[in-house]
Amino acid sequence: MLMRLRNIRLFAMAIATVLIATSCGGTGNSPQSASPDADCRVIKHEAGKTEVCGQPENVVVLGPNVLELLLALGVQPAGFADQMAFHQGKYDNPSQQIPYLGDRVKSQPANVGLTYTPSIEAILNTQPDLIVGSQWLEKEYGNLSEIAPTLLLEWFDVEGNLQAIAQALGRPELAEGAIAKRQEKIANARKKLAPAVKTNPKVLMLTASNLQEMVLITEGNSFCGSLMKDLGFELIYPPGIDRQDANLRPPLSLEVLPQFNEADSAIVLGYNFKDSSQLEGMEDFQERQLSGIEKSWQENAIAQSLDASKAGRVYFIPAYLCLGLPGPIGTELYLKELETQLLPSQ
């Protein structure tokens, strides 16, 4: 399933349920006009424009990327759909059920299915007054917007998404603080990682569940790559590649790895969701994501022939952390992981 997580398009989309409308004000591409004294505003997003009135209290988020934005704005979710079925049933112990963000979730939100295949019935049961998801749900936008005002956002547009959600919440000022905090974290990490950039600037970066399923990360196709560039590193590419092409996901075969031997280091964003349900805590989550690819890399002669492998500079990080959480919280956690692995221990 994380073939889509490699490029943040993880799941097939399929919902065919007719819904009964229950919302404040109009939604959709042509929002209804609000009365002059109504507390309403129109928010532009990937599916058009949506009118939101008042201050939403029951917010359903369809994806970890929007859950972290909601939490960064100081709002707790009423319902949540994760990228994979890490947990069945209600999130009654979020810290052990929602990767990386669970310790910040205090609301015990309803489990409304998966990011791209949410449960319409579960969403209805939460009686939401705002739904936030990704642009990949555009075919379901009409159905979702009949339940409540719905925003569909571009996955990696963190600043724009923070502003859109804060505006929908009636608290636009909240976005600026979250954006500034994220930028400050990146600036601080750039200073801390400067010694690593100076000594080992060239990085091969890829996602992989095993050595037969590898995809090259570029500065154009994900936040993971663009962040490395912002930190000062130079990503390594094969000749002729358009590194700015956001839709380019070059697959890599094991046999071509030696072509990247100029890389001083390699960062492998690992994943393994074949047995993802009912995790036994977050340590179990990280172990499942990395154990397969790490073992395969260590045991493969071609992978071990790279100078980066010989020097002990191949680093394994769960793909969910960087690809799934590009916002302020995920960025902070990912930067800490980079600092821990790339900098010598004190």
Side-chain angles (χ1 to χ4, degrees), residues 15 62 81 111-114 117-125 144 147:
I15 305 174
L62 307 178
N111 188 331
V112 297
L114 297 176
T117 56
S119 166
I120 297 302
E121 181 180 2
I123 293 174
L124 282 167
N125 287 339
L144 292 170
I147 301 177

Side-chain angles (χ1 to χ4, degrees), residues 216-289:
L216 186 69
I217 291 291
T218 74
E219 62 194 59
N221 69 13
S222 82
F223 158 73
C224 308
S226 63
L227 178 60
M228 292 299 291
K229 182 182 177 183
D230 291 342
L231 293 173
F233 292 99
E234 176 189 350
L235 297 184
I236 301 302
Y237 306 107
I241 190 173
D242 182 0
R243 62 188 67 186
Q244 299 297 333
D245 187 348
N247 296 313
L248 185 65
R249 270 77 178 169
L252 297 181
S253 66
L254 177 62
E255 291 72 23
V256 305
L257 278 182
Q259 297 180 16
F260 298 89
N261 199 42
E262 65 175 307
D264 301 304
S265 306
I267 295 178
V268 181
L269 303 177
Y271 62 88
N272 176 15
F273 289 164
K274 292 180 180 179
D275 180 22
S276 61
S277 61
Q278 299 305 104
L279 295 177
E280 299 176 1
M282 290 304 98
E283 291 183 3
D284 180 38
F285 172 81
Q286 182 145 328
E287 171 67 18
R288 290 195 195 188
Q289 301 312 295

Side-chain angles (χ1 to χ4, degrees), residues 21-27 31-32 34 38-41 50-56 128-130 145-150:
T22 58
S23 67
C24 165
T27 61
Q32 299 174 5
D39 178 18
C40 298
R41 53 265 173 213
T50 291
E51 184 179 75
V52 182
C53 298
Q55 289 191 331
D129 40 28
L130 179 65
S145 62
E146 288 187 41
I147 301 177
T150 299

Side-chain angles (χ1 to χ4, degrees), residues 3 7 30 93 121 149 165 193 197-198 262 265-266 296 315:
M3 293 298 291
N7 38 47
S30 300
N93 187 16
E121 181 180 2
I165 296 173
L193 289 167
V197 172
K198 183 177 181 179
E262 65 175 307
S265 306
S296 297
Y315 309 103

Side-chain angles (χ1 to χ4, degrees), residues 38-321:
D39 178 18
C40 298
R41 53 265 173 213
V42 175
I43 295 94
K44 294 181 180 180
H45 55 99
E46 294 297 307
K49 299 178 181 178
T50 291
E51 184 179 75
V52 182
C53 298
Q55 289 191 331
E57 296 181 357
N58 288 347
V59 183
V60 169
V61 285
L62 307 178
N65 65 313
V66 285
L67 172 60
E68 73 157 322
L69 299 184
L70 195 71
L71 294 172
L73 295 172
V75 178
Q76 292 291 318
F80 170 56
D82 210 337
Q83 288 179 318
M84 288 294 293
F86 298 125
H87 175 67
Q88 305 292 327
K90 185 177 180 179
Y91 291 108
D92 53 1
N93 187 16
S95 66
Q96 299 303 309
Q97 298 161 346
I98 301 176
Y100 299 110
L101 302 176
D103 59 348
R104 302 167 187 258
V105 177
K106 312 301 180 184
S107 57
Q108 296 191 347
N111 188 331
V112 297
L114 297 176
T115 301
Y116 296 102
T117 56
S119 166
I120 297 302
E121 181 180 2
I123 293 174
L124 282 167
N125 287 339
T126 68
Q127 299 183 346
D129 40 28
L130 179 65
I131 301 171
V132 187
S134 77
Q135 76 270 37
W136 312 118
L137 279 169
E138 190 166 2
K139 290 183 179 179
E140 324 309 330
Y141 175 63
N143 290 336
L144 292 170
S145 62
E146 288 187 41
I147 301 177
T150 299
L151 307 180
L152 298 186
L153 307 175
E154 199 282 320
W155 196 284
F156 287 121
D157 183 13
V158 174
E159 294 188 5
N161 294 347
L162 280 167
Q163 291 168 344
I165 296 173
Q167 185 182 3
L169 294 171
R171 299 287 303 279
E173 72 280 0
L174 296 178
E176 298 310 314
I179 291 171
K181 182 178 180 181
R182 179 173 181 263
Q183 293 173 339
E184 182 182 3
K185 294 291 184 181
I186 294 174
N188 289 338
R190 183 181 178 93
K191 293 179 182 178
K192 291 180 180 179
L193 289 167
V197 172
K198 183 177 181 179
T199 56
N200 300 297
K202 296 182 179 181
V203 178
L204 167 64
M205 195 170 190
L206 50 88
T207 61
S209 63
N210 54 62
L211 293 179
Q212 283 69 51
E213 297 179 350
M214 299 185 291
V215 170
L216 186 69
I217 291 291
T218 74
E219 62 194 59
N221 69 13
S222 82
F223 158 73
C224 308
S226 63
L227 178 60
M228 292 299 291
K229 182 182 177 183
D230 291 342
L231 293 173
F233 292 99
E234 176 189 350
L235 297 184
I236 301 302
Y237 306 107
I241 190 173
D242 182 0
R243 62 188 67 186
Q244 299 297 333
D245 187 348
N247 296 313
L248 185 65
R249 270 77 178 169
L252 297 181
S253 66
L254 177 62
E255 291 72 23
V256 305
L257 278 182
Q259 297 180 16
F260 298 89
N261 199 42
E262 65 175 307
D264 301 304
S265 306
I267 295 178
V268 181
L269 303 177
Y271 62 88
N272 176 15
F273 289 164
K274 292 180 180 179
D275 180 22
S276 61
S277 61
Q278 299 305 104
L279 295 177
E280 299 176 1
M282 290 304 98
E283 291 183 3
D284 180 38
F285 172 81
Q286 182 145 328
E287 171 67 18
R288 290 195 195 188
Q289 301 312 295
L290 298 181
S291 59
I293 182 60
E294 200 166 359
K295 184 173 185 292
S296 297
W297 191 282
Q298 292 169 351
E299 295 178 350
N300 184 270
I302 296 178
Q304 289 302 303
S305 71
L306 297 180
D307 288 346
S309 293
K310 295 176 182 178
R313 289 194 296 269
V314 179
Y315 309 103
F316 298 88
I317 299 174
Y320 186 103
L321 178 56

